[in-house]
Amino acid sequence: MRRFVIMLATWGGTGYSPVASGTVGTVAAIPFYLLLARLQLPLYLLVTLLFSSFACWVSGEAERIFAEKDSGKIVIDEVAGYLVTMIAVPFSWQGVVAGFFLFRLFDITKPFPARYIDRNLKNGCGVVLDDLVAGVYACLALHLLLRFL
């Protein structure tokens, strides 16, 4: 079980990147998104909700294994956040790339309430929820960008 949690938490080891593990983890989320992109919206939402819930559990277990809170090695939260970013985005490479950059922007800057969650909720859900908030902001920005460009 320990190896399973580590593999998922680090999203196949990408969390061990010595530089910008969150960015590398987000890049590694793109193939997973591509597998889900053709799902009808209700099913995509269900998978994203279930995955995000599972990511909370995995992140909490990984914190115990790594013996550190919100370890940089844990990047499954970036995967969940990117899936939220891409909700109802018409499939295109431009959307995939713009979603990546917007998610990274909002994940790094952590607008309210993401920063509050990041600082105050210290468990597996806290690890994931700030990324989900960043994903909501990125999703809204991406829809606006695609609509007006």
Side-chain angles (χ1 to χ4, degrees):
M1 182 63 92
R2 186 176 194 276
R3 284 186 191 159
F4 176 71
V5 167
I6 291 171
M7 184 60 69
L8 286 170
T10 65
W11 203 245
T14 60
Y16 289 109
S17 173
V19 179
S21 61
T23 299
V24 175
T26 306
V27 168
I30 293 173
F32 185 46
Y33 163 72
L34 294 175
L35 286 173
L36 302 177
R38 303 282 182 205
L39 295 176
Q40 292 182 7
L41 182 58
L43 187 53
Y44 183 91
L45 292 171
L46 177 63
V47 170
T48 300
L49 176 67
L50 293 173
F51 181 84
S52 298
S53 299
F54 182 65
C56 289
W57 177 80
V58 168
S59 296
E61 292 298 309
E63 283 186 323
R64 284 187 269 293
I65 291 168
F66 296 138
E68 52 184 309
K69 294 293 179 188
D70 203 358
S71 171
K73 295 179 214 102
I74 300 171
V75 296
I76 194 171
D77 54 329
E78 269 76 23
V79 178
Y82 185 74
L83 293 180
V84 169
T85 297
M86 301 307 291
I87 290 173
V89 173
F91 182 79
S92 70
W93 286 106
Q94 296 87 347
V96 169
V97 172
F100 167 81
F101 283 109
L102 287 168
F103 173 68
R104 292 308 304 144
L105 172 70
F106 288 109
D107 188 33
I108 291 165
T109 60
K110 297 197 183 313
F112 182 81
R115 184 172 308 280
Y116 177 83
I117 292 167
D118 184 56
R119 290 182 178 166
N120 295 295
L121 192 56
K122 299 296 180 186
N123 58 29
C125 287
V127 171
V128 176
L129 284 176
D130 70 299
D131 291 83
L132 298 182
V133 170
V136 169
Y137 279 110
C139 183
L140 293 171
L142 182 55
H143 279 278
L144 287 172
L145 181 70
L146 294 174
R147 181 173 183 98
F148 292 109
L149 287 184

